[in-house]
């Protein structure tokens, strides 16, 4: 399939996915057989309201794509790291909810739906700015291994450089388990489509403050904290 075909395919997705956050991935090395004649494998991973336990936005998008295009899909669940490896190796034809970068452009076509911005979630309301958080040498953060955090990356990088202030976890769910455990980490970074589900299910809404990312310079550096009252975004 050529990229131009995928652009037409993306147009159908965008018409449907007005409220969707994620990116549909199609591996460039795995599309040698006629698509309508052969079911395509599409792999999901646990990702909040995007996909969890067989339901979610990603699942709905794939169902609608099948209806509109005539394609058929074999649906599987796999760990996120394995999905990326199989996409890169040309073994897996298709996945969902990915972040585009230059390296991944070498083996995949990315079809955007809609974007969301990362938020900082803190358990202590005193951390109203990035400066306050960074100044507290005891404050720690947890991040998902391999994730990028856009405007929050300078903070993460500064904490990594400080040593001992960043914990990496394998999944999104682990972030919220650590935050909920108390005393282990003081902040995590997440998208609304993830944290709106996790905070609700763990009964954490009253325990945290959600801080939005705003690009403004302070002493020549990005400082992206700003109070955000939208703790329970509407999804779906």
């Amino acid at each position: 399939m050529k990229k131009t075909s995928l652009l037409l395919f993306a147009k159908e997705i965008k018409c449907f996915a007005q409220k969707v956050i994620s990116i549909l991935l199609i591996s460039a090395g795995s599309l040698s057989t006629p698509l309508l004649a052969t079911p395509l494998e599409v792999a999901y991973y646990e990702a909040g309201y995007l996909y969890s336990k067989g339901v979610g936005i990603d699942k709905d998008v794939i169902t609608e794509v099948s209806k509109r295009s005539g394609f058929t899909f074999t649906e599987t669940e796999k760990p996120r790291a394995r999905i990326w490896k199989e996409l890169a190796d040309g073994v897996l034809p298709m996945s969902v909810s990915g972040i585009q970068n230059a390296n991944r452009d070498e083996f995949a076509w990315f079809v955007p739906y809609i974007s969301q911005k990362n938020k900082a979630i803190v358990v202590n309301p005193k951390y109203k700015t990035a400066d306050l958080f960074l100044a507290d040498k005891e404050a720690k953060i947890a991040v998902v291994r391999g994730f990028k955090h856009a405007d929050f990356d300078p903070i993460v990088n500064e904490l990594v450089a400080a040593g001992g202030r960043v914990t990496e976890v394998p999944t999104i769910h682990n972030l919220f388990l650590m935050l909920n455990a108390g005393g282990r980490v003081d902040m995590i970074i997440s998208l609304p489509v993830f944290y709106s589900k996790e905070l609700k299910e763990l009964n954490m809404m009253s325990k945290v403050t959600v801080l939005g990312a705003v690009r403004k310079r302070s002493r020549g550096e990005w400082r992206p904290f700003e109070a955000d009252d939208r703790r329970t975004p509407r999804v779906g």
Side-chain angles (χ1 to χ4, degrees):
M1 181 182 287
K2 297 181 180 180
K3 287 188 178 181
T4 50
S5 297
L6 272 178
L7 290 175
L8 295 174
F9 198 52
K11 186 175 181 180
E12 292 297 322
I13 295 171
K14 289 178 182 177
C15 289
F16 167 71
Q18 298 267 329
K19 298 181 180 179
V20 175
I21 158 66
S22 73
I23 291 181
L24 180 67
L25 313 168
I26 297 186
S27 171
S30 61
L31 300 180
S32 59
T33 57
L35 293 183
L36 292 178
T38 306
L40 283 174
E41 180 185 2
V42 56
Y44 304 99
Y45 65 95
E46 288 287 325
Y49 282 126
L50 291 174
Y51 182 83
S52 181
K53 297 180 175 62
V55 298
I57 295 170
D58 287 341
K59 170 77 170 178
D60 293 342
V61 169
I62 295 301
T63 298
E64 190 67 18
V65 167
S66 181
K67 290 179 181 178
R68 296 188 179 205
S69 66
F71 300 150
T72 57
F73 299 101
T74 301
E75 299 178 356
T76 60
E77 293 184 28
K78 299 181 180 182
R80 182 175 57 89
R82 181 181 171 187
I83 287 174
W84 282 114
K85 185 178 187 308
E86 290 189 1
L87 284 166
D89 292 343
V91 176
L92 178 66
M94 188 171 175
S95 187
V96 288
S97 299
I99 300 298
Q100 186 174 11
N101 60 37
N103 178 61
R104 293 169 179 175
D105 279 340
E106 295 181 3
F107 60 82
W109 285 292
F110 290 75
V111 182
Y113 301 166
I114 289 177
S115 64
Q116 288 188 330
K117 291 185 177 182
N118 278 297
K119 306 287 186 179
I121 302 170
V122 297
V123 291
N124 192 327
K126 74 177 183 180
Y127 299 126
K128 294 181 179 179
T129 69
D131 285 326
L132 291 173
F133 189 88
L134 291 169
D136 185 348
K137 302 304 181 183
E138 300 300 318
K140 297 180 180 180
I141 185 175
V143 298
V144 177
R145 188 177 300 114
F147 271 25
K148 299 297 182 182
H149 305 95
D151 292 339
F152 289 101
D153 272 337
I155 293 177
V156 176
N157 294 337
E158 191 166 337
L159 293 173
V160 169
R165 297 183 65 181
V166 179
T167 299
E168 290 189 335
V169 298
T171 70
I172 296 163
H173 185 57
N174 287 128
L175 281 182
F176 294 90
L177 292 179
M178 287 196 70
L179 195 67
N180 196 37
R184 300 186 65 183
V185 296
D186 303 283
M187 184 178 86
I188 63 173
I189 300 169
S190 184
L191 293 169
V193 75
F194 300 149
Y195 72 68
S196 55
K197 180 178 186 293
E198 296 284 351
L199 293 177
K200 179 180 178 181
E201 292 183 353
L202 292 172
N203 195 28
M204 294 176 62
M205 291 304 306
S206 62
K207 303 176 183 178
V208 302
T209 300
V210 179
L211 301 165
V214 174
R215 291 189 172 188
K216 61 181 180 180
R217 290 188 179 276
S218 172
R219 301 196 308 275
E221 298 177 350
W222 294 113
R223 296 303 184 197
F225 275 29
E226 182 178 80
D228 190 335
D229 293 328
R230 294 171 294 174
R231 294 186 178 181
T232 54
R234 298 178 64 86
V235 179

